[in-house]
Amino acid sequence: MDYFAPNMSLAEVNRISMLGLAHIGDGVYELMTRAMLCRGGHTAIGELHRLTVSFVKAPAQAKAAAKLLPLLTEEEAAVYKRGRNAHVHGVPQGTDVGEYHAATGLEALFGYLYLRGRRERLNELFGAIMED
């Protein structure tokens, strides 16, 4: 098994809960963010951490999800909505519930695409988020 590129079948991915997909998607999204920041020339660890957190916290991910919604295929939109509507077992203090659900939907989508081996689509969507 190649854990960097699992290329799981649809049946295998469908056996994973939405929160499980969000769990892996959170890591994928953060890794992509870290790679973008390092490639952008950010070298001070404090700055890297601060910038990473600013991109991966729930409010920023909710804005990213809103930006992506018009670009999603039917399949991707369905995954996002299922992730957004997943029953979470708590919301971090100081986080808006709606933003947290939207962020969970985005993470579930990124987890789904990653596990399905759709790296090109991940890069396309991440690029659309990071425009501007």
Side-chain angles (χ1 to χ4, degrees):
M1 168 96 182
D2 180 353
Y3 293 102
F4 281 108
N7 294 327
M8 294 170 67
S9 71
L10 181 58
E12 291 172 313
V13 173
N14 283 340
R15 284 195 290 268
I16 301 170
S17 72
M18 281 294 118
L19 293 180
L21 291 178
H23 176 74
I24 189 75
D26 178 50
V28 170
Y29 192 83
E30 183 165 341
L31 182 59
M32 293 177 84
T33 299
R34 288 175 178 227
M36 176 205 58
L37 292 171
C38 286
R39 185 168 188 184
H42 299 281
T43 58
I45 191 64
E47 178 187 24
L48 282 170
H49 178 72
R50 183 183 54 76
L51 288 170
T52 298
V53 169
S54 75
F55 282 107
V56 301
K57 63 185 178 180
Q61 286 184 337
K63 287 179 185 172
K67 193 173 187 180
L68 287 188
L69 284 176
L71 307 176
L72 300 181
T73 66
E74 263 185 58
E75 173 191 15
E76 292 165 348
V79 171
Y80 167 78
K81 288 175 186 174
R82 285 176 45 222
R84 181 195 64 200
N85 294 333
H87 179 71
V88 295
H89 301 288
V91 175
Q93 189 174 3
T95 302
D96 177 86
V97 173
E99 288 176 335
Y100 191 73
H101 283 286
T104 302
L106 178 73
E107 291 171 347
L109 174 62
F110 270 62
Y112 175 85
L113 292 172
Y114 170 74
L115 292 174
R116 293 286 290 138
R118 298 188 181 157
R119 291 172 61 183
E120 187 174 319
R121 184 61 173 156
L122 278 168
N123 283 311
E124 185 180 318
L125 294 176
F126 189 77
I129 291 169
M130 296 303 157
E131 282 179 354
D132 301 328

